[in-house]
Amino acid sequence: MSVSHRLTAPAPGWTTTTDVVVVGSGVAGLTVALNLRQAGLRAVVVTKAMLDDGSTRWAQGGVAAALGEGDTPEQHLADTLVAGAGLCDEEAVRTLVTEGPDAVRHLIATGAAFDKGADGEILLTREGGHHRRRIVHAGGDATGAEISRALVAAVRSDPGLELIEHALVLDLLTDAEGHAAGLTLHVMGEGQRDGVGAIRAKAVVLATGGMGQVFSATTNPAVSTGDGVALALRAGAEVTDLEFVQFHPTVLWLGPEAEGQQPLVSEAVRGEGAHLVDADGVRFMVGQHELAELAPRDIVAKAITRRMAELDAQHMYLDGRHFGAEMWEQRFPTILASCRSHGIDPVTEPIPVAPAAHYASGGVRTDLRGRTSVPGLYACGEVACTGVHGANRLASNSLLEGLVFAEQIAADLIARHRAGELPERTVDVAGARAARSVPLLAPEARARIQCLMSTGAGVIRSAASMATTAAGLAELAAQAHAHAAEEKPADPRVETWEATNLHLVATALVTAAAQREETRGCHWREDFPERDDAQWQRHLITTLAVATGTPVSTPEEQ
């Protein structure tokens, strides 16, 4: 199967060749690349901004792994399955929790320094949905930054690993047999090359991160525009469970007009004993769940949203005043500084918080080796759907998933290479443009997409709200087609490619969410408030219709 839809873009003006091209420089992408290099394979890492500008460095809480006394992978598995609300792939979760402790040790060997106690043992904290302290952290609340630092340092010390920064990936290249054979990309002015080019490769690994920028308020950086999921859909890959977007319950509320990336207030703050309260100081999570403030994220986000609606309030509060200044300064220095920079002092006042889009539990469908439905195309990290998270991600399982399944992908590619199953691929780079070009949306469509999604497909959804969102998205697509027909298309550039990617991902998400007529995990339907295992304890598989280029969701057979 060849790629049938592509972004409108100039023909590649330059070409390079490698064994494997890895797209993304977070924990997943860099772990794949480092493992491949250790086995002697050539690898190119493509990243959209600078090497450390992805989502990994923003992760505050930590990495979940059964490393503590009395803890076991089985207990970690049980907590993950509960959070996933019946849709986790148990085999994938077992891989995660079994391989997890060693993956953390490999990360330490790479140079990551986690927080330790006076006895020299790694400190472990607890987060929502976990019945044990099993969260490894660094710098108090700067775990992602430390992991990113260690991996970036290891990558930069390998002169044989080629890096292409400031590059937006465009589309997959395939050979005559439909096997991934590289990709096209656009390198921005700051990069080593300029303009659209192509990388020919024996395999492609997507590690592009999330799609939080599809909503108005998110914890994701500006680069998280769903590029990997959009590329995969256009390449004919299966995408699964896009409707399950996790809204982090406690994001610093900056006012009704705030848009884009918002400061996260880590779940670890609640793990250490902070309370959620309303304006009157009432702890509204007590009695809602046995774990109160440490209930799984979907439950806490819903409870906050309900309380806001009941009181006609725009936010709730997170109260950690009882921690005292010393604990805030030592355990949560990043959050303390962030709050103070916005005029809020957690030492003396409660923190205003509200839910915001945080993590995509769904993504490009993979097996346990990271293989997608397109031969030679792999995916790991937030862009992938391994089956680990189900309908709701358990806190701090994301960095662990990136580590574990990156190692699975690298092991599979190395084994295929040694068995002679990764031959050079022949691809006509110029001829690839013969695929149907997708008209580009104007840059201003981005804000419209975000508004539509936040209003109609956010924390609370209904058939009516999503129909309005779907109609708005369809109108944007119609405008792009009309402008293309009138020979007034949007110019091919980063802003129009990103807007077009966001539009495709948003449309796919709403298509799936409208079809899932139940409430499960982080998918909350006002019109279908109950979980329906008889009908919906199964995945929705989304693909792109070849004729129309529109997303189609099909329930997996039970």
Side-chain angles (χ1 to χ4, degrees), residues 523-540:
H523 172 67
W524 185 14
R525 290 284 298 260
E526 283 187 298
D527 45 352
F528 294 94
E530 302 301 323
R531 174 170 154 175
D532 182 0
D533 283 352
Q535 177 65 25
W536 288 111
Q537 194 165 1
R538 52 180 168 167
H539 303 284
L540 279 170

Side-chain angles (χ1 to χ4, degrees), residues 198-480:
I199 301 176
R200 295 176 54 185
K202 302 171 183 178
V204 175
V205 180
L206 295 179
T208 51
M211 54 187 189
Q213 290 290 327
V214 80
F215 295 96
S216 296
T218 178
T219 63
N220 290 192
V223 294
S224 297
T225 51
D227 307 318
V229 170
L231 175 149
L233 280 168
R234 289 192 298 270
E238 294 180 349
V239 171
T240 309
D241 296 344
L242 282 187
E243 65 271 33
F244 297 116
V245 175
Q246 186 176 84
F247 288 78
H248 198 289
T250 53
V251 175
L252 184 61
W253 188 78
L254 299 178
E257 304 303 319
E259 294 181 349
Q261 186 178 11
Q262 314 284 304
L264 177 67
V265 182
S266 171
E267 193 149 358
V269 177
R270 281 174 283 137
E272 295 292 353
H275 304 142
L276 280 167
V277 298
D278 60 23
D280 294 323
V282 176
R283 284 185 63 190
F284 55 88
M285 282 306 302
V286 176
Q288 296 260 358
H289 189 275
E290 61 166 337
L291 295 175
E293 281 91 355
L294 286 177
R297 287 178 176 174
D298 63 306
I299 293 172
V300 180
K302 290 174 187 177
I304 292 174
T305 304
R306 283 196 190 102
R307 194 69 164 184
M308 287 163 54
E310 289 169 5
L311 301 178
D312 193 25
Q314 294 181 309
H315 61 83
M316 290 288 106
Y317 293 94
L318 186 63
D319 191 352
R321 288 177 291 179
H322 53 286
F323 287 175
E326 185 177 354
M327 181 172 175
W328 272 109
E329 290 164 2
Q330 293 184 2
R331 180 67 179 87
F332 301 113
T334 307
I335 297 169
L336 179 63
S338 177
C339 288
R340 284 177 170 170
S341 72
H342 292 286
I344 299 153
D345 189 350
V347 177
T348 60
E349 60 187 316
I351 306 168
V353 293
H358 182 54
Y359 189 87
S361 292
V364 185
R365 185 180 179 127
T366 73
D367 62 14
L368 295 181
R369 293 175 292 180
R371 297 184 180 189
T372 74
S373 57
V374 175
L377 177 65
Y378 293 75
C380 60
E382 191 173 353
V383 71
C385 184
T386 61
V388 158
H389 304 306
N392 183 46
R393 177 180 68 98
L394 182 65
S396 288
N397 268 355
S398 54
L399 291 175
L400 188 71
E401 183 195 32
L403 284 169
V404 168
F405 286 91
E407 291 186 348
Q408 299 291 106
I409 288 174
D412 190 62
L413 284 168
I414 292 165
R416 289 181 64 193
H417 172 70
R418 289 172 177 167
E421 297 173 3
L422 277 183
E424 296 286 345
R425 298 284 166 182
T426 301
V427 58
D428 180 1
V429 173
R433 310 313 306 165
R436 190 171 300 151
S437 290
V438 177
L440 303 179
L441 274 68
E444 53 267 26
R446 179 171 180 153
R448 177 61 178 154
I449 293 165
Q450 292 170 333
C451 180
L452 285 166
M453 292 297 290
S454 293
T455 302
V459 178
I460 303 174
R461 303 166 178 174
S462 68
S465 74
M466 288 188 289
T468 301
T469 296
L473 293 171
E475 182 181 352
L476 289 172
Q479 290 172 0

Side-chain angles (χ1 to χ4, degrees), residues 16-41:
T16 190
T17 302
T18 189
D19 289 327
V20 180
V21 57
V22 179
V23 189
S25 59
V27 62
L30 296 188
T31 299
V32 171
L34 288 169
N35 279 293
L36 292 176
R37 287 293 301 139
Q38 288 174 5
L41 275 79

